[in-house]
Structures are given as structure tokens and as C-alpha cells.
Amino acid sequence: MKASAGGYARATDLRHALDLLAGAQGQGRVLAGGQSLIAAMNMRLSTGDLLVDISRLTELAGVCEDDTHLRIGALTRHAQIGTDALVRTHAPLLAQAVDHIAHAAIRNRGTIGGALAHADPAAEFPACALALGAEIHVEGPEGARVIPVEDFFQEVFTTALEEGEILTGLSVPKAEAGEVQVIEEVARRSGDYALAGLCLVKRAAGHRVSLFSVGPVPVLARGAMAALDAGDLDGAVAALQAEIDPPSDTQATAAYRRHLAGVLLRRAVARTGE
């Protein structure tokens, strides 16, 4: 099949992009890297949309910092995330995740904003953002707003973005001295979607654990986090396995994914030196 679109317009700046979406009367779709959207259109899962191309809006790309946070533009490509010195120093979880994402061609075109807005439950970046406690920045007809990552992912491929809004970036806390961030996943082949994946951030204030590919949205494993804070790894594994409801499909059963989640938590904790 070939893609079917209702039209195409290249935005010259963010305000222009928002105006184009507003004029599309609910039929506008934002085109950034296009790695998910174009595939969906080729399969006729998305048709008749006006494509609003924001890929050349340089103000939405790149990484900057203040005293406490990194701000990452939505159009920053996966490959850039993996090599950026600020990310590797202050949010190494994101840089590590890039090595697990698909293949080089995808990493060179895909954007972190697109990955978050697409909200694929098997994708790495949404779970990383959840583990890091990120804030999602969006711009819409009513102005800018900030969405805590815990409120952003709502259902499969569904987020808190409202009609006419564009995800412009995310902010993540800078890693503190002694903080450890790790990602673990199991996939059948390198570049495949994970059968199960886990992100672990160990901070002075406590642990944050998120999982992907074990449900309709990335999961923040609060029970496992509390058990790890108490120094109880076995209890954390039991809590983790109890608080997820993974699917069964042609790749793995729910029971196998639940087992993998426990294995991945033990591997991640071992990497933190606990």
C-alpha cells in the first residue's frame, strides 16, 4: 500500500505550525521524523490527514541546561541523544537507550518528541522519561503548558496532548553525584521491540523503576520502588511482578514477560552495585 494524505504543509516556525493544525479542523497530523507516522499511513491506519511538517523548526531541536535540569528539544534525533555530551553526563539513561532502539536508519531520522507523542508501549524513550521523572513541554492554541510525565501516557498510542497541541520538548533532572541510571531489556534480535524492558534510576531520595512492553503504557513500579528503598530485593521482584499485567502474544506469554521483568530488575540492581 501507499500512503494517503489529505495534504502537506511545511511549517516555517512553531506559530505557523499551530495555525496550520488549527486550520485543519482536527485532521492535522504533525510530521517530524516520520518513522511511525509514515508507516501507519502506508498501512492505511491513518488516512486523509493534513501533514504539518515541523522537521525544519530548529528552535525545537538540541539540548541545553540550567543549574538543575536538561531541556531536550522534541526534534532532537535519537542518534544525537546517544552522542550528546550533556545527555551522556546528566541523563545517561537516555543515551544508553539509544543503543536498543531499532537500527541506524531509524535512529538517524527518529526524534525523541515523536517517540513520546507516539506513545508506543514497547518503546524505550517513554519508559526512560517516566523513570527520570521528566516534564513534558507542549504548546497549543491556548499557550504553553507542562505535563508531569506520570500524567502524560494514558492508553496505547494515547497521551495527554490535546487537539492542536505540539510536543515541543522535555525537561529531566540532572543526575546528582553518585546517581546510577541503567536500562535492561530482552529482545529476540537486536533492533526488535523488547519482550520486556526495565529502567532503574537510583538516587539519594530513592529508586525509580519503570517498565516497557509489559502493558498498554509504560509502568512506574511504585511497589517495587518502595521495596528497593527498604533494601528488599526479593520483595521488590515480588511487588514488581504483582503490579504489572503484561499481554500474551505471538512473541511471548504474559507469564514469560512477568518472569522477565523480575530477571531484569535483578540485573539492573546488580549494575547499581547494591
Side-chain angles (χ1 to χ4, degrees):
M1 288 187 179
K2 297 297 182 181
S4 174
Y8 170 88
R10 175 174 290 160
T12 56
D13 56 33
L14 181 57
R15 183 72 260 168
H16 185 212
L18 292 169
D19 290 343
L20 289 169
L21 287 177
Q25 299 181 331
Q27 297 300 307
R29 297 293 299 275
V30 174
L31 175 64
Q35 299 307 287
S36 299
L37 176 58
I38 299 303
M41 293 178 65
N42 284 340
M43 292 186 287
R44 297 298 174 93
L45 299 176
S46 179
T47 61
D49 302 310
L50 169 67
L51 299 184
V52 177
D53 187 349
I54 66 169
S55 63
R56 296 191 181 183
L57 303 189
T58 56
E59 67 265 37
L60 299 186
V63 183
C64 60
E65 64 175 324
D66 60 24
D67 290 343
T68 59
H69 286 74
L70 288 188
R71 172 69 182 261
I72 303 172
L75 292 184
T76 309
R77 301 195 186 278
H78 301 337
Q80 293 172 284
I81 296 290
T83 59
D84 185 89
L86 288 174
V87 174
R88 294 177 70 87
T89 299
H90 300 297
L93 183 67
L94 294 172
Q96 293 174 42
V98 173
D99 291 336
H100 296 283
I101 296 174
H103 305 286
I106 300 296
R107 296 193 290 269
N108 286 333
R109 286 294 304 167
T111 64
I112 191 167
L116 296 175
H118 186 54
D120 190 324
E124 288 84 1
F125 277 152
C128 289
L130 189 57
L132 291 169
E135 292 182 326
I136 310 300
H137 299 267
V138 304
E139 189 91 21
E142 305 303 318
R145 66 187 181 113
V146 178
I147 307 171
V149 69
E150 289 88 347
D151 301 328
F152 187 70
F153 303 106
Q154 298 183 340
E155 192 44 76
V156 179
F157 304 129
T158 304
T159 71
L161 281 171
E162 296 180 356
E163 185 66 45
E165 287 187 326
I166 294 175
L167 192 158
T168 59
L170 72 155
S171 295
V172 297
K174 285 182 170 181
E176 60 195 28
E179 181 170 320
V180 183
Q181 302 177 7
V182 298
I183 182 171
E184 290 280 350
E185 69 174 59
V186 173
R188 292 192 178 277
R189 297 172 300 181
S190 175
D192 282 1
Y193 279 120
L195 301 179
L198 180 143
C199 302
L200 172 62
V201 175
K202 180 186 176 185
R203 294 172 173 156
H207 298 76
R208 287 182 66 90
V209 178
S210 68
L211 296 103
F212 53 101
S213 211
V214 296
V217 294
V219 176
L220 189 65
R222 299 183 186 276
M225 288 157 49
L228 287 178
D229 289 347
D232 182 4
L233 177 55
D234 290 339
V237 170
L240 178 73
Q241 293 175 329
E243 60 190 322
I244 60 174
D245 185 20
S248 292
D249 55 31
T250 57
Q251 300 300 311
T253 65
Y256 184 52
R257 283 192 165 96
R258 186 173 284 108
H259 167 74
L260 284 178
V263 171
L264 294 177
L265 180 59
R266 292 186 186 277
R267 288 181 182 174
V269 169
R271 289 178 58 190
T272 70
E274 292 187 55

